[in-house]
Amino acid sequence: MKRFLLSFAILIATMASTAQDTLKVVTLNVNGLPEIAGGTADNGKTKLMSQYLAKKGYDIIAAQEDFNYHNDLMSALSENYQQAKHCGSLNILNLISRTDNDGLMLIWKKDLPVTGDVRTAWKVINGNGLVDGDGKVTKGYRFYEATVGNDIVVDVYTLHMDAGSLPEDIAARESQIQQLYDAIVQADASHPKIIMGDTNCRYTREQLKKLLIDSLNNSDKYSCTDAWVEFCKGDYPEYGTAPLMVDSLGVIEGEVVDKIIYINPRHGNRLVLKDFALVDDFVNEKGEMLSDHRPMEATFEVKKGIVVPATATGWFEGEDFVNNEESWYIYNIGTSKFVGDDGKLYANINESTPWGIWGSENPFSISKTDGDRFYMDGWPGYGTGVRGSSATSFHIVKEGSTEGSYNLAVKFTLGGWRYFNVTDGEKSTYSAASTNGPMNDWLFISTAQKDVFNEYVDLHQQALDCINLPMDDDLKSSLADILNKAANTTYSQCIGENGIIAQLKFILAIFKEQLEGVESISAGRNNIPVSFYSLHGQRNNGMQKGINIVKMSDGTTRKVIKK
């Protein structure tokens, strides 16, 4: 336990060294293309740009089109800022064919811990490099982690999307939005996130709201907001309407293609937007804009939250099916439900029942020893269901299914492959689908994984109860950190020596060490117990099993464990 406490003291010291509870960010297309690639002569504007950014004192600067004037961009920043990898300048030789240069740059204050710099290219672009710049460079996004405040990690995405207004350009951008969404939902769901960059998107023209904002808000993990919409507009512009041009509407009401979008976990640490601006003083002494884009800036307060445990929907992970005649819970991805042996769907794994999977190799049958079955009849109408008279021999295959899942497939002489499908309504309805989809994607979940989930929920509740105990600020902060890590977690993040369960046990051991010393009350002649309370402040008639708060006659309180 002494080793635990020493490690804990080191953790607190580390947390204190990174204290910062606000984050001021800016995104800016710096127009660093050379004239040969369609840019304009710099004429010293990038150096003025650097001075402007340094004076503003941003914590994080996200730049796009940082190609040929990078040294000028860093000229006033290099003393107090660090930078990501620069991909170099553009010239006639590397513009003949597509160059591996995204033009993206992240710059951050030296006292702000930032790690990462992971580059990802867009899978879909529209441009061949001859008449369209999107074919000359490798646009995409970059990913970073910034550690803010008391060990709060904020994920940062900076990006540059396809340009152009042709239908093919719009389709490419919408594909890129979907690619970004897919990356976000696979990232650590306990981290707040900031997306910023030149999207080349307008809410009136691209399905940005539907594909990213709404999709994240409709999930059980995140809330997602555009900073401009929240601070200036209130409502998202309607898709398919006329563009909201800054030249006629101004920098508050007008929409630009530069965006700052922030994402918060449903439970846990979060970003609170405190200020936002599309600046209008970004000019030289002649009143000329320093770039063809204005800087877009936002200031966030980073807040620590106390959280509830992850929901079963996001926690369970599909396991590789390797052995037969074992007990498996079967989970449908499309409905986010488990299939019980009564044919009904259950959100809670503890209300469902495991199945046996029988056979020596593919195909397998899925049934229980008491006669309940997964079945699919080949004729007529490909009838399917649960509790049939005999089990179907399913091929259990991964091809075409969602990551981590399997399809339950049957090949009929007439009609080819059919997939076991389910829909969720007043009554669970099973059918045979001819194509892949979420409703016929299934996770196999072991009974061991279910036991880990129940242990995780129990430990999380014990740790959450401790937050009500009198404790110093550092201990409370550390407890909050572990609880935040435990939110929106998954099975694989819970297990192992450094997993969430181990961390929860670690913090609970610290509390037990503190409380064991007061397990019995040694009352003096003039100092006796006068009242007893639960951790939640409820007054009890006497000592209860577990942790008690005991008020003494001298006005002090003691933490007492009754076993």
Side-chain angles (χ1 to χ4, degrees):
M1 181 56 67
K2 289 182 179 178
R3 192 186 315 169
F4 279 165
L5 293 174
L6 177 60
S7 299
F8 178 67
I10 294 171
L11 170 66
I12 294 299
T14 303
M15 287 163 49
S17 68
T18 61
Q20 175 180 335
D21 59 6
T22 61
L23 199 60
K24 187 176 183 180
V25 303
V26 64
T27 182
L28 171 62
N29 187 318
V30 299
N31 193 24
L33 287 164
E35 291 184 79
I36 194 172
T40 56
D42 178 69
N43 295 327
K45 288 183 178 180
T46 307
K47 286 187 176 180
L48 293 176
M49 195 182 303
S50 180
Q51 296 167 19
Y52 179 94
L53 296 172
K55 185 178 179 180
K56 284 279 191 173
Y58 299 111
D59 295 305
I60 296 178
I61 301 166
Q64 304 88 49
E65 293 190 10
D66 179 25
F67 295 114
N68 282 41
Y69 309 106
H70 177 71
N71 291 337
D72 288 345
L73 180 65
M74 293 300 301
S75 59
L77 295 169
S78 57
E79 182 177 352
N80 298 315
Y81 287 84
Q82 297 186 69
Q83 67 178 62
K85 179 183 178 180
H86 184 242
C87 289
S89 300
L90 301 180
N91 55 56
I92 186 63
L93 294 178
N94 61 27
L95 285 174
I96 293 175
S97 60
R98 189 182 185 194
T99 178
D100 184 24
N101 191 332
D102 60 6
L104 295 173
M105 173 55 56
L106 199 80
I107 305 165
W108 62 91
K109 282 186 174 178
K110 288 183 176 179
D111 59 355
L112 178 66
V114 173
T115 58
D117 198 19
V118 178
R119 289 181 57 193
T120 302
W122 300 126
K123 296 177 181 178
V124 177
I125 63 169
N126 182 49
N128 57 19
L130 299 176
V131 296
D132 192 320
D134 293 328
K136 294 184 174 72
V137 298
T138 306
K139 287 184 177 180
Y141 66 88
R142 294 194 188 190
F143 171 79
Y144 305 84
E145 292 183 337
T147 304
V148 187
N150 289 327
D151 206 28
I152 299 176
V153 177
V154 178
D155 292 346
V156 178
Y157 296 82
T158 179
L159 55 83
H160 195 184
M161 292 183 175
D162 264 33
S165 56
L166 295 173
E168 295 82 359
D169 297 316
I170 295 171
R173 283 192 291 274
E174 291 185 345
S175 170
Q176 292 161 13
I177 295 167
Q178 185 64 52
Q179 182 181 344
L180 180 64
Y181 169 82
D182 291 341
I184 289 170
V185 296
Q186 293 178 32
D188 192 322
S190 69
H191 294 177
K193 309 178 193 302
I194 300 174
I195 303 168
M196 51 184 167
D198 181 356
T199 69
N200 279 309
C201 289
R202 296 180 179 274
Y203 288 107
T204 56
R205 184 177 60 192
E206 280 84 17
Q207 297 270 24
L208 176 59
K209 179 176 182 291
K210 176 182 177 181
L211 296 174
L212 184 67
I213 309 290
D214 290 347
S215 293
L216 289 171
N217 282 326
N218 290 333
S219 74
D220 61 352
K221 292 185 178 181
Y222 297 111
S223 63
C224 180
T225 310
D226 183 304
W228 168 69
V229 173
E230 177 181 348
F231 208 82
C232 300
K233 294 293 291 181
D235 295 315
Y236 287 88
E238 185 178 350
Y239 172 71
T241 59
L244 306 175
M245 305 306 294
V246 170
D247 290 345
S248 57
L249 297 175
V251 296
I252 295 177
E253 291 294 323
E255 180 186 5
V256 297
V257 296
D258 306 279
K259 308 289 183 191
I260 296 178
I261 295 170
Y262 69 100
I263 303 165
N264 281 324
R266 289 288 183 190
H267 308 287
N269 299 329
R270 66 190 188 278
L271 301 167
V272 179
L273 182 64
K274 307 301 290 185
D275 199 12
F276 172 87
L278 181 64
V279 303
D280 56 4
D281 61 346
F282 191 60
V283 295
N284 63 13
E285 59 185 9
K286 298 179 181 179
E288 300 170 333
M289 285 273 291
L290 300 180
S291 175
D292 56 348
H293 291 243
R294 291 179 172 86
M296 176 177 282
E297 62 182 40
T299 301
F300 296 98
E301 184 178 359
V302 186
K303 289 202 167 188
K304 190 178 294 292
I306 302 301
V307 299
V308 299
T311 61
T313 302
W315 190 90
F316 287 104
E317 296 177 345
E319 298 178 68
D320 287 335
F321 179 73
V322 289
N323 297 317
N324 66 84
E325 299 185 15
E326 293 188 352
S327 293
W328 296 91
Y329 290 89
I330 300 181
Y331 176 86
N332 180 255
I333 289 180
T335 62
S336 300
K337 299 285 180 65
F338 299 89
V339 178
D341 61 9
D342 55 1
K344 297 180 180 178
L345 299 176
Y346 295 94
N348 187 341
I349 193 172
N350 294 301
E351 296 176 0
S352 187
T353 45
W355 295 83
I357 301 182
W358 313 91
S360 59
E361 59 184 37
N362 239 340
F364 297 94
S365 62
I366 301 172
S367 63
K368 293 177 64 67
T369 55
D370 59 4
D372 298 313
R373 314 264 189 257
F374 273 26
Y375 71 89
M376 184 188 293
D377 293 330
W379 187 267
Y382 301 103
T384 65
V386 177
R387 300 176 69 94
S389 59
S390 61
T392 296
S393 294
F394 289 101
H395 290 264
I396 299 176
V397 294
K398 280 189 173 182
E399 290 76 14
S401 62
T402 305
E403 183 177 358
S405 74
Y406 290 85
N407 293 136
L408 306 179
V410 180
K411 188 171 185 179
F412 295 110
T413 304
L414 297 175
W417 288 99
R418 291 293 184 270
Y419 305 95
F420 193 80
N421 204 64
V422 64
T423 53
D424 188 18
E426 293 185 8
K427 180 181 179 181
S428 305
T429 302
Y430 298 91
S431 60
S434 58
T435 57
N436 294 126
M439 297 299 184
N440 53 58
D441 288 339
W442 304 87
L443 303 183
F444 291 124
I445 296 168
S446 66
T447 54
Q449 186 175 164
K450 184 202 75 169
D451 293 340
V452 173
F453 176 72
N454 289 331
E455 181 184 18
Y456 155 74
V457 171
D458 179 62
L459 289 169
H460 188 282
Q461 185 58 53
Q462 291 182 46
L464 194 60
D465 285 343
C466 289
I467 205 70
N468 297 295
L469 286 170
M471 68 185 84
D472 59 41
D473 290 342
D474 286 341
L475 187 56
K476 179 171 283 192
S477 179
S478 180
L479 176 59
D481 283 336
I482 293 173
L483 285 168
N484 282 320
K485 290 177 182 178
N488 299 312
T489 191
T490 62
Y491 168 65
S492 60
Q493 293 168 343
C494 279
I495 58 177
E497 293 183 358
N498 297 314
I500 294 299
I501 284 179
Q503 294 182 48
L504 288 169
K505 287 180 176 178
F506 169 78
I507 196 72
L508 288 169
I510 292 173
F511 280 104
K512 183 179 180 182
E513 174 82 1
Q514 290 196 343
L515 294 172
E516 280 180 342
V518 291
E519 191 169 300
S520 61
I521 302 175
S522 300
R525 203 178 278 177
N526 299 318
N527 187 27
I528 61 174
V530 294
S531 53
F532 305 87
Y533 298 86
S534 72
L535 289 176
H536 301 287
Q538 177 182 348
R539 186 165 181 168
N540 298 318
N541 293 328
M543 293 278 287
Q544 306 295 311
K545 185 178 180 180
I547 301 173
N548 296 262
I549 304 298
V550 181
K551 186 175 182 180
M552 307 300 290
S553 58
D554 66 356
T556 61
T557 58
R558 300 184 183 184
K559 303 180 289 290
V560 181
I561 294 178
K562 182 179 179 181
K563 295 183 178 177

